[in-house]
Amino acid sequence: MKDVQFGELPFLKYDHTVVTCVYSPAGTSFAVVLSDASINVYTTSNWEKTWIVGGHGFGGIAYSPNGDQIVSGSEDSTVRVWDVAAGYCLHIFIGHTSGIRSVAYSPQGNMVASRGGDGTVRLWDLETGSCIRRLSGHKWGTNSLAYSPQGDQLVSRGSDVEVRLWDVETGECRQTMTGHISGVTKVLFSPKGDYIASASLDKTVRLWNVGSGSSRKISKHHSGGIMNLKHSPKRSQVASCSKDSTIRLWDALTGVHSHTLTGHGRRVTTISYSPQGDQLVSSSEDKTVRLWDVESGACLYTLIGHTKPVWDVTFSPQGEQVASTGWDNTVRLWNTETGECQHVLTGHSSHAWVVIYSPQGNQVASASSDGTVRLWSVETGNCHHTLTGHSAPIRGIVYSPNGNQIASASDDMTVRLWDVRTGMCSHIFIGHQSYVIRVVYSPRGDQIASASINDKTVRLWDTESGECRHTLVGHQQGIYAIAYSPRGNLIASWSDCGEARLWDVETGDCYWTLNHDGLTRSTGWYTSHPFVWMSSGFDSFITGDDGGSVRRWEVIMEEDKYSVTMRWTSVNGQLTVEDACVQDVQGLNDLNKRLLKQRGATGEPSVRLREASKKVMTMASVVSKLKSSSSNTEARNPSLTSPVIFSTSHSEQQNPRSDGRRDI
């Protein structure tokens, strides 16, 4: 086999689920643990299996600091130490009365710590093979532990709400740290060993001072439901706005939070990026529109003029103007350079829900509860056409990609297609059995998708013939958001119960269903899209929910089938990548760790080591982060390379090999 370069990784296929895998510190070998409790060790030079042992390893695995040994834990309550070169067992540590949950080497490599379901942590001397300390105190099983960088302290968390700090030399408990009100899910030391971070099911992360035991909470997530999400057109950034009156900016690839934009007095209804991606505009129930600088997070202008809540705002295609509309029945056009209101467009007899610019930027369209769509001249502010025909409020409008047509969705259960030049209706799409609140064009403009609340369906319409190509059925609650992927081959839908579905546009088949942790969105049709596709070479999208979290998902094509992987989620200001963290992946070299930390993988969420599937996702997420991180790093420094963590959970499309392996 040729030398393995980044992006050219071999692919090993197993008959059993991969629980975890770790690299040796020097990167010369890696070990894979399968759900049948076998340990498989390979060399990285040619990916040959050097040895395999069965019946052990399901309870955790770790390399020694020098890479000569591997320690493994098992559900049979034993801990075993293996010689990496020969594959034989050096020690069998017996003492726990329940299955092993995790194992770790001390930084000096002379000691192994194991945690068991019996609520104890045991420290084993590798020279004598004896148990030198038995640490007990947690009310229930110990589920996580970590050595301090100096190796003189150990931190543990149990199934209770306590975090305990132990003296390795004496075995005494130095600190019992309380403050979490629900189960603690993960603990780790800071690089200098002066702080301990703990994550909990109470939705908080706490930083504990090792000396005093005092703590403070970290909280950067939204405290209210997500109202809207937008992806920057020019940078890897996503913005979210919330009922908590704030806007937050995130790195779209890593989930790292960069800014919190504060100033609105009530919930933020929607947001929009400028075409250049350097500015953001927001509308709010506080009757104002705000213009923000993305780089600094500073508010450039507060645009005052609306007399009632503002429900929609958007940039012109050139970015020199902003249009806003709301419950005062008006549309206002603002100069982004000066902050002045250039035009107040009046004519609607009821509040307007949506305002959009034509692709050319010379026209603005607004949709209202009065059942009409109005087309306005940007230059003069005059109304060119009033599109009449709907018999109920209009919730959604969209221009065709070429700007010649506009589609409207109404509570009268129809979608209408209009000629922009004449103002005439060319098609009436009939089929929905309830309010239609969303309508979007496909990227090519040959298809329209519409979504309804009570009939819980998405319909795909041919813009030329007016025929319904597919009716997408499967949601159990009303649908509030739909979006085509940038390539137009997929469409995603999002329902009120927090369920997202991914559909194939050509066949109408549902490939994937996501329940956003059961978080119910109660925002109804007042909410814009809590969903946005990323405009990148692969299919990736961002979701938001009523619990205030934002998540990024990636769609992968595998053997003509789609799968979806969560790449990051924002929870209480920490980045969680499906339980991926430096502490869980033992054997990372310094570059690996640095790249992971740069991408925000130091915060640690809930880790459920008893669930093998979660461990599989852990490795997949770490691999993803290293790939994206290394590609950026190597672009700046081509000589900088990094070993890769092996994963069999998700991959790109593969080609079969005669030896049973597959190359990416």
Side-chain angles (χ1 to χ4, degrees), residues 203 222-227 242-243 267 494 496-498 516 518-524 527 530 543-550:
K203 303 179 181 179
H222 284 295
S223 59
I226 306 297
M227 294 290 289
S242 170
K243 296 177 183 178
R267 66 178 176 177
W494 186 257
D496 187 47
C497 65
H516 217 259
L519 295 172
T520 302
R521 294 181 52 252
S522 59
T523 47
T527 299
T543 61
D545 63 35
D546 207 44
S549 66
V550 180

Side-chain angles (χ1 to χ4, degrees), residues 41 99 124 175 210 243 253-254 276 280 298 300 311 317 382 402 412 491 529 563 603 621 626-627 661:
V41 178
W124 309 89
Q175 298 278 357
V210 170
K243 296 177 183 178
L253 292 178
T254 67
Q276 298 77 23
L280 191 76
L300 302 175
W311 279 104
N382 295 331
N402 61 16
D412 65 8
I491 191 167
H529 302 169
S563 62
S621 299
L626 283 177
K627 283 182 179 178
R661 302 176 183 176

Side-chain angles (χ1 to χ4, degrees), residues 565-602:
T565 300
M566 186 172 73
R567 291 311 187 199
W568 58 258
T569 175
S570 67
V571 181
N572 297 311
Q574 64 182 54
L575 170 65
T576 71
V577 194
E578 235 355 285
D579 296 346
C581 57
V582 174
Q583 211 68 20
D584 276 346
V585 187
Q586 310 234 359
L588 293 175
N589 66 18
D590 291 339
L591 175 60
N592 293 153
K593 294 178 180 179
R594 187 168 73 252
L595 294 176
L596 285 169
K597 290 176 182 178
Q598 289 174 355
R599 295 301 182 181
T602 54

Side-chain angles (χ1 to χ4, degrees), residues 276-332:
Q276 298 77 23
D278 58 340
Q279 293 181 345
L280 191 76
V281 66
S282 59
S283 60
S284 171
E285 289 183 344
D286 66 6
K287 309 174 188 177
T288 69
V289 174
R290 285 179 177 256
L291 191 65
W292 309 86
D293 179 78
V294 169
E295 190 67 32
S296 65
C299 180
L300 302 175
Y301 291 109
T302 300
L303 311 180
I304 300 174
H306 285 285
T307 59
K308 291 186 178 180
V310 187
W311 279 104
D312 199 22
V313 65
T314 186
F315 270 96
S316 65
Q318 292 75 34
E320 83 287 355
Q321 194 178 72
V322 161
S324 61
T325 189
W327 280 14
D328 60 4
N329 307 349
T330 69
V331 176
R332 291 175 180 260

Side-chain angles (χ1 to χ4, degrees), residues 19 64 102 123 136 228 289-290 302 388 412 417 429 463 468 633:
V19 178
S64 62
S102 184
L123 306 183
S136 61
N228 206 338
V289 174
R290 285 179 177 256
T302 300
T388 60
D412 65 8
L417 195 60
F429 302 138
T463 57
C468 180
T633 304

Side-chain angles (χ1 to χ4, degrees), residues 405 415-418 424-429 462-467:
Q405 296 176 319
V415 175
R416 288 178 178 251
L417 195 60
W418 311 84
M424 301 297 293
C425 179
S426 59
H427 289 296
I428 303 176
F429 302 138
D462 188 292
T463 57
E464 186 68 28
S465 66
E467 295 179 355

